[in-house]
Each structure stands twice: as C-alpha cells, then as structure tokens.
Amino acid sequence: MLSNNVKEQDLNPWPGLTLACVRILHLYTKVFGQDLQQIARKNCNKCKCVREGHEVVVEHGARSRLGLANNHDGLDARSLGYAFVPAGLTSARQVDQYYSTLPTHEVPKLGSKGEIARLQRIAKQLPKQDLALSACKFIEESVKSSFQDFISARNEIALDIGIAKPAPPNSVCDGCNRSIITQQVSVVAPRMGKLIWHPACFRCTTCDDLLVDLAYCVYEDKIYCERHYAELLKPRCEGCDEVS
Ligand SMILES: [Zn+2]
Ligand SMILES: [Zn+2]
Ligand SMILES: [Zn+2]
Ligand SMILES: [Zn+2]
C-alpha cells in the first residue's frame, strides 16, 4: 500500500499516466524518488515537442503487450513468487532451476529489484509506439502505411516468444557456444529452429540485454529485442522515440 508521505500527485508525473497499477508505481517511486521527472522528460529533435507520457505502467508483461493471447497452460507465476515464468516449464522445481542460472538481481521475484528491472526492460525493449500505429503520436501521414507494413511483416516473420525446456543431450548454447548439461532448463526460440540457449545467454545481439519475458525478433538468423530489431530497419527519433 502507499505510504502516507507519497502523495498521489507525486505518483502521476505525466499526463496520460493511468494509476492502473499503484503497487508497481509505488515501487518505481521508491527506487527512483524525485528523479522520475528528469528521466522522463526529453525534447523531441524532430518536432521540438516535449515527450509526454513516458510510460511507467507496463501492464501485464510482454505477452499482453504484444497482443498475444494469454498462455493458460503455463504455471501461475505469482503463486510461485515470480512476476513471470516462461512458457514450457511444468513444475516449481524447473522454475527454480531456470532462475538459479540468472544473476539474482535479474530474477523477477515479486517485490524485488529484479521485478522492477523486468518492467524497465519491457518498456525499453518493447516500445509501445513500435507495436501499434495508434500508439504513435508524431508519425507523419506520408509514412503511416509503410509503418503499418513494417508492423505486419514483423509480427508475421520476426517477432515471437521463446519457450523454456530441458536441454536434449549434446546441446550447445548458441549464445556462448558452450555445452548445456542434458536436462538443464534452457531456452528455445521457435523462429530459430533447433537452436538452444542458456537462460542467461538469451540476449539481444545489439544491446546484449536479457530478452524480457523471452520476447525476441529474428533478423538474418540473429535474435534482437524489438527495439533494436526495429532500428535495423527504420531510423528512430531520439526525442519522441518513434521509428518511421
Ligand atoms: Zn516530437
Ligand atoms: Zn550460453
Ligand atoms: Zn536490444
Ligand atoms: Zn520525434
């Protein structure tokens, strides 16, 4: 719950910010304090506007952000104490094994810094304005249809979510090229065929960040976060953070 010294206006520094998840917002405020305003404001190079609504609330993870149906076959992450568990795992033991291979501060345990790091990654790796034309505020009329084509093509051929599974015998990680212990929980990416990764090696080729919620895009047989996939194909404005 909110403590008494946090006023609601402190929690709502940007127009358009909904208080959909006060708990998450509260965690942000605790971690960033007064710096929230400063990290959010940046003027747009192209149109000189001030970026508004740098989003804090990142909904319920990569799947829903990408408009994919919820995976009801999966384990219930929250009941296991995590904000997210990958699809493909079938027991608490596998989940613990999966997370035991990541640095502690990267593990999205409920109420931990790792949970906040995950939310930051969602906002950074999966920019809302990359995902739907309706989320773009500054795009010019003349490039709207090519942007829509980019979205459709990306969703059709590049974007997907990885799955965790025990490694078959003689597996070699595509990230670090070391072998993976047989039956060790690992990551596979359906758009990358038989390739397999250590959970800690499933990273964007450009920024080397862990791919949040295992969301990845493929470009020329390499994996990227959506942000950096988009930037391989389109320039991004440093101010409003939109590609066009
Ligand atoms: Zn602008
Ligand atoms: Zn590896
Ligand atoms: Zn990246
Ligand atoms: Zn701009």
Side-chain angles (χ1 to χ4, degrees):
M1 276 280 95
L2 292 172
S3 63
N4 293 333
N5 57 4
V6 181
K7 291 189 239 95
E8 184 161 314
Q9 67 189 54
D10 295 334
L11 286 176
N12 199 358
W14 306 293
L17 179 67
T18 58
L19 288 170
C21 187
V22 175
R23 196 177 66 82
I24 288 168
L25 217 43
H26 181 52
L27 281 171
Y28 265 87
T29 311
K30 272 189 2 198
V31 169
F32 294 115
Q34 295 308 307
D35 295 341
L36 264 186
Q37 288 271 23
Q38 287 152 30
I39 60 166
R41 296 287 181 192
K42 197 172 178 188
N43 281 25
C44 178
N45 293 339
K46 200 150 83 182
C47 45
K48 307 297 175 203
C49 62
V50 173
R51 220 193 261 186
E52 58 176 316
H54 177 108
E55 52 185 319
V56 168
V57 179
V58 282
E59 301 133 24
H60 304 291
R63 270 198 94 79
S64 72
R65 193 173 178 87
L66 297 175
L68 300 170
N70 257 323
N71 185 354
H72 293 292
D73 304 333
L75 296 168
D76 176 26
R78 296 201 157 255
S79 71
L80 296 171
Y82 297 100
F84 164 80
V85 296
L89 300 182
T90 54
S91 71
R93 194 190 57 80
Q94 282 189 334
V95 172
D96 289 338
Q97 189 196 92
Y98 175 85
Y99 280 128
S100 72
T101 64
L102 296 181
T104 315
H105 64 277
E106 308 283 20
V107 176
K109 254 195 157 63
L110 293 176
S112 73
K113 286 201 173 161
E115 181 181 16
I116 294 171
R118 169 177 176 258
L119 296 175
Q120 291 171 323
R121 284 204 172 96
I122 290 173
K124 183 186 139 214
Q125 295 184 13
L126 308 171
K128 229 178 187 158
Q129 66 278 10
D130 283 22
L131 302 177
L133 188 54
S134 60
C136 296
K137 296 198 180 80
F138 308 112
I139 191 168
E140 280 158 35
E141 204 54 47
S142 61
V143 294
K144 279 187 176 172
S145 85
S146 83
F147 183 70
Q148 190 57 58
D149 290 345
F150 159 77
I151 290 178
S152 307
R154 176 198 62 208
N155 294 354
E156 184 74 25
I157 62 168
L159 178 64
D160 194 23
I161 295 204
I163 298 166
K165 67 167 219 180
N170 307 315
S171 294
V172 174
C173 172
D174 194 58
C176 67
N177 295 317
R178 291 167 202 250
S179 60
I180 303 179
I181 299 166
T182 303
Q183 290 300 306
Q184 178 84 31
V185 175
S186 307
V187 176
V188 293
R191 292 199 191 273
M192 294 289 277
K194 285 189 183 316
L195 296 184
I196 189 163
W197 290 261
H198 293 113
C201 297
F202 198 63
R203 292 173 182 271
C204 170
T205 301
T206 299
C207 64
D208 203 39
D209 205 6
L210 276 181
L211 289 164
V212 68
D213 292 11
L214 306 185
Y216 69 97
C217 286
V218 173
Y219 184 77
E220 294 184 345
D221 296 330
K222 293 198 172 94
I223 53 173
Y224 296 88
C225 69
E226 196 290 328
R227 169 177 292 278
H228 291 119
Y229 167 81
E231 290 177 11
L232 292 170
L233 299 167
K234 290 186 170 292
R236 184 182 302 280
C237 169
E238 282 181 29
C240 65
D241 207 33
E242 291 182 8
V243 287
S244 59

